[in-house]
């Protein structure tokens, strides 16, 4: 009598292979994380925007250039992949922000400088933000970026309509909120002309938002569609 081979259980099906992340989303996310860190470093320099008719001499902290690129990237992701994906990008942006703050604090306050290096004081003065300003930066970043994504995604019906107008309005309003939160949290209770500082910063940021954000969002949306086009 011929023996039958023992019954073998069917192999478990392999889990489905997840689809790859779109090229544009991968590239924009990498750039977003780097700019989130760079914004805080650039913010130590006050930049002159020159003399403007009716507005006078304008100055702004240099971190705004990186921060407006964050606004542009988040808006482009909202246009290409929806509001939920853009909000996830903003939330993940807290990771490089917090890690960079912790590392800077450790390098400045814990890691001793080399005996022959004489720039510790200048290094700490330029890059060492206090805990209050760090907290202000986190709050203003999260609130203003979330507001920007929300407004950009909702104005005029959202995706596909009036792209540059939505980008301009959303960035203008979010920059006002960002400035009010950051300066209030950072300097409230100190003997400083908070109102005058806030006014100058808001005007400068609105000028830069008008110049940079609408064409920047248009450019990154076009770039994203080009990156994701079938090859």
């Amino acid at each position: 009598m011929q023996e039958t081979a023992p019954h073998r259980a069917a192999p478990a099906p392999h889990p489905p292979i997840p689809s790859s992340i779109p090229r544009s989303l991968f590239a924009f996310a990498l750039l977003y994380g780097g700019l989130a860190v760079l914004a805080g470093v650039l913010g130590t320099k006050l930049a002159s925007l020159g003399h403007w008719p009716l507005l006078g001499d304008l100055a702004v902290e240099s971190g705004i250039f990186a921060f407006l690129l964050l606004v542009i990237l988040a808006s482009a992701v909202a246009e290409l992949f929806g509001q939920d994906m853009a909000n996830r990008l903003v939330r993940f942006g807290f990771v490089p922000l917090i890690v960079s703050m912790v590392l800077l604090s450790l390098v400045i306050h814990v890691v001793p400088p080399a005996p022959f290096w004489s720039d510790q004081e200048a290094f700490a003065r330029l890059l060492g933000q206090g805990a209050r300003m760090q907290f202000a930066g986190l709050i203003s970043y999260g609130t203003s970026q979330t507001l920007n994504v929300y407004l950009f995604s909702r104005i005029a019906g959202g995706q596909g309509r009036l792209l540059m107008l939505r980008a301009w309005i959303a960035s203008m309003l979010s920059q006002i909120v960002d400035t009010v939160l950051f300066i209030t949290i950072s300097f409230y209770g100190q003997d400083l002309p908070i109102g005058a500082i806030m006014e100058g910063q808001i005007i400068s940021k609105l000028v830069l938002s008008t110049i940079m954000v609408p064409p920047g969002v248009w450019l990154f949306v076009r770039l994203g569609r080009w990156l994701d086009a079938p090859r």
Side-chain angles (χ1 to χ4, degrees), residues 36-55:
V37 174
L38 189 60
V41 176
L42 293 178
T44 58
K45 176 180 178 177
L46 292 177
S48 170
L49 300 182
H51 184 82
W52 292 70
L54 302 178
L55 300 178

Side-chain angles (χ1 to χ4, degrees), residues 84-221:
D84 289 342
M85 183 62 72
N87 281 331
R88 290 173 65 184
L89 182 69
V90 170
R91 289 195 293 270
F92 279 115
F94 279 104
V95 177
L97 266 176
I98 293 172
V99 169
S100 65
M101 289 177 179
V102 171
L103 283 177
L104 277 173
S105 296
L106 287 175
V107 169
I108 291 171
H109 301 293
V110 177
V111 179
F116 51 84
W117 190 64
S118 59
D119 293 325
Q120 171 68 16
E121 184 178 345
F123 181 80
R125 185 175 66 255
L126 289 175
L127 298 180
Q129 290 185 336
R132 184 171 173 176
M133 292 188 69
Q134 290 180 344
F135 177 72
L138 291 174
I139 295 298
S140 60
Y141 158 79
T143 304
S144 64
Q145 282 288 74
T146 302
L147 177 63
N148 174 75
V149 169
Y150 174 81
L151 293 174
F152 177 79
S153 301
R154 300 291 176 169
I155 294 172
Q159 287 172 291
R161 300 180 181 181
L162 303 175
L163 175 68
M164 295 178 71
L165 179 62
R166 287 187 287 125
W168 178 61
I169 295 174
S171 67
M172 296 270 280
L173 295 176
S174 64
Q175 284 308 296
I176 293 173
V177 171
D178 175 81
T179 304
V180 170
L181 285 175
F182 182 80
I183 292 179
T184 301
I185 297 172
S186 296
F187 304 117
Y188 181 78
Q190 300 183 28
D191 188 19
L192 291 171
I194 292 180
I197 295 173
M198 201 177 293
E199 180 183 1
Q201 288 291 297
I202 288 175
I203 293 173
S204 300
K205 289 181 179 181
L206 294 185
V207 170
L208 285 176
S209 293
T210 300
I211 295 171
M212 290 180 59
V213 175
V217 172
W218 178 86
L219 177 63
F220 272 88
V221 169

